[in-house]
Amino acid sequence: MRTDRSKQLFDAARARIPGGVNSPVRAFGRVGGQPLFVTRAEGVTIWDADGNAYMDFVGSWGPMFLGHDHPAIRDAVADQLARGTSYGAPTEAEVELAERVCDMVPSIDMVRLTSSGTEATMSALRLARAFTGRDAFVKFRGGYHGHGDAFLVEAGSGAATLGVPNSPGVTSGAARDTRVAEFNDLDSVRALAAEGDVAAVFVEPVAGNMGCVPPEDGFLEGLRALCDETGALLVFDEVMTGFRLAPGGAQERYGVTPDLTTLGKIIGGGLPVGAFGGRADVMAMVAPSGPVYQAGTLSGNPLATAAGNAMLRWIAEHPEIYDHVEALGRRMDEAFERMIDENGWPVTWRRVGAMGSLFFGPGPIRDWPTVEACSVDRFAAWFSRMLEAGFYMAPSPFEASFLSAAHTEENIARFLDAAERTLAEVHATDRPAEVRA
Ligand SMILES: *Cc1c(COP(=O)(O)O)cnc(C)c1O
């Protein structure tokens, strides 16, 4: 595989952009090698600067649920482009997008648009604090909610109730009110919420930023009940799961209704859009309707809103795409189960709808400690072999890979063939010598 041009570009990038990238995980730090510099994308295929083609399972980290360069989105953006790119004044398209979001997502009565998921979660936290008059909030270890200061915190130990920042530059003050619980462990949440001073519980209803880790039966329902008991708001961070696991996101799929929801990724159809929304009585506190300040020069940007409307309109009119990705996903489940079973590889595949992850550990995988125990080296070895074979998976063991509506049965058959061959290579040295011979 030729990588000369990508290498030149990465060298140039590193001279002028910290680490050569504008978002850290793109730098391939967890897997080694160097990032693809992408020149074009169409359907499930992306091309790098050296002309190599890859079948894409990253989908721009989530937004490209319909595949790349979808005609409905392209046409909507082109149409808006001819009428200007930003006005900083209300538009009809914003009203349409807000109405679509409220129609599709069960818990959302009112919604505010932002330009990223990070802004949505920061704003939802401020709002939850204002509504409850409380400062503390609970998040889960391995849960990612963008790079707002209060969220960049992990527990120092399981017992710690005071957050410790995990990035320099986050003050102890910003981290002090962040309490960290363990995913799929209701008791850990109960212990942190017992004092009744918690403003909100933030959760990815299906964890996606420690790899794909589904909620166990009763976990989301238990969080709902705990929040009702303690007066905390339940916030589903559906930036990844929203519109992906069902038209109404994880809350529709699991039938649990949060107070607030944050959105991003798919909602923008590949342009920068985020959103937070929920109960009308809570959202009424957002300025200028209420006192909680929140704003954005490019929020509700016409190009982004056009793409978002085209995306949500397509999804609403084509519910069969959810059956399609589910069928592809089941095929992956069966194939991975068979190959893991036959070969005894210490590997675990977890999937919900169009998101899934391969963990290089025997499982069960149910929270951050069980994810952290998996082999990063083996993941990296597998990732590199898959890339070499023309398959672009999420370049980190702590990320989900995505199916899109554009993937076909034939794509998945090819993917599974390559996955089985590369998994065998990665585990070849595991076997006792007599078996190998
Ligand atoms: C991606 C993501 C975010 C951050 O969104 P950005 O648009 O990258 O700022 C927040 N929460 C979750 C669950 C995410 O997956």
Side-chain angles (χ1 to χ4, degrees):
M1 183 178 301
R2 295 176 307 109
T3 58
D4 301 350
R5 184 66 187 141
S6 293
K7 186 168 183 326
Q8 279 169 6
L9 286 170
F10 196 37
D11 288 343
R14 275 184 296 197
R16 293 298 183 199
I17 303 171
V21 291
N22 282 310
S23 197
V25 75
R26 296 180 196 168
F28 278 32
R30 291 283 188 174
V31 290
Q34 54 171 37
L36 307 184
F37 276 71
V38 178
T39 53
R40 190 160 78 83
E42 189 187 326
V44 297
T45 310
I46 57 170
W47 285 267
D48 73 10
D50 294 292
N52 301 300
Y54 304 87
M55 191 187 296
D56 184 20
F57 289 89
V58 179
S60 185
W61 300 92
M64 312 314 295
F65 186 49
L66 301 181
H68 294 281
D69 197 27
H70 191 278
I73 295 175
R74 188 201 324 138
D75 291 350
V77 172
D79 184 56
Q80 176 57 44
L81 195 54
R83 291 182 288 127
T85 57
S86 189
Y87 316 130
T91 63
E92 186 175 343
E94 290 171 290
V95 183
E96 181 186 338
L97 188 53
E99 287 175 352
R100 283 187 186 286
V101 170
C102 294
D103 284 349
M104 292 171 81
V105 185
S107 69
I108 299 188
D109 301 326
M110 295 185 88
V111 63
R112 166 64 56 87
L113 299 181
T114 65
S115 297
S116 68
T118 292
E119 288 171 85
T121 55
M122 280 168 39
S123 305
L125 176 58
R126 183 181 307 133
L127 177 59
R129 286 171 159 167
F131 184 79
T132 58
R134 302 170 180 180
D135 290 345
F137 78 102
V138 173
K139 72 176 283 286
F140 294 90
R141 206 136 67 104
Y144 180 67
H145 306 288
H147 60 91
D149 280 0
F151 294 108
L152 290 182
V153 173
E154 292 178 342
S157 75
T161 53
L162 298 186
V164 177
N166 63 358
S167 167
V170 175
T171 64
S172 53
R176 190 185 51 220
D177 297 313
T178 306
R179 300 185 186 166
V180 184
E182 211 66 80
F183 193 70
N184 275 326
D185 180 355
L186 279 175
D187 287 338
S188 72
V189 187
R190 198 171 286 119
L192 297 176
E195 301 197 1
D197 60 348
V198 167
V201 175
F202 270 74
V203 65
E204 295 177 69
V206 173
N209 287 286
M210 52 176 155
C212 175
V213 182
E216 290 171 1
D217 285 351
F219 178 62
L220 298 175
E221 293 83 350
L223 292 180
R224 178 68 273 173
L226 254 170
C227 286
D228 290 341
E229 278 163 38
T230 58
L233 297 186
L234 180 59
V235 185
F236 276 6
D237 183 352
E238 297 226 43
V239 170
M240 188 179 290
T241 54
F243 311 107
R244 189 184 315 280
L245 302 187
Q251 57 196 272
E252 177 183 333
R253 191 169 180 124
Y254 292 95
V256 175
T257 306
D259 300 295
L260 292 176
T261 299
T262 53
L263 297 165
K265 300 192 170 124
I266 291 177
I267 193 180
L271 272 80
V273 182
F276 64 102
R279 276 165 49 182
D281 60 333
V282 182
M283 290 304 292
M285 287 192 73
V286 178
S289 142
V292 179
Y293 193 71
Q294 197 282 332
T297 299
L298 292 176
S299 295
N301 169 267
L303 278 184
T305 311
N309 273 322
M311 168 65 89
L312 298 196
R313 194 181 307 131
W314 185 273
I315 287 176
E317 289 170 2
H318 296 85
E320 71 279 4
I321 62 182
Y322 293 92
D323 299 329
H324 174 68
V325 293
E326 192 63 43
L328 299 182
R330 266 200 301 274
R331 184 160 175 181
M332 293 165 92
D333 297 348
E334 286 158 16
F336 279 124
E337 192 181 330
R338 177 196 53 75
M339 58 180 101
I340 290 167
D341 207 51
E342 279 177 14
N343 297 284
W345 293 325
V347 166
T348 308
W349 165 248
R350 303 228 63 187
R351 177 191 69 87
V352 179
M355 56 193 272
S357 298
L358 204 54
F359 295 93
F360 285 76
I365 301 292
R366 60 185 301 264
D367 54 14
W368 176 250
T370 53
V371 168
E372 208 184 15
C374 295
S375 170
V376 173
D377 290 347
R378 284 200 185 155
F379 176 88
W382 180 69
F383 170 85
S384 305
R385 284 174 166 81
M386 286 297 282
L387 194 66
E388 193 70 28
F391 298 89
Y392 182 43
M393 312 307 296
S396 162
F398 307 115
E399 298 285 352
S401 288
F402 299 115
L403 286 166
S404 74
H407 285 95
T408 64
E409 292 277 346
E410 189 268 338
N411 289 152
I412 298 308
R414 271 172 47 210
F415 161 80
L416 287 167
D417 280 349
E420 184 157 13
R421 180 171 53 74
T422 50
L423 280 169
E425 287 170 14
V426 167
H427 292 96
T429 52
D430 274 4
R431 305 196 203 159
E434 62 275 19
V435 178
R436 234 183 301 155

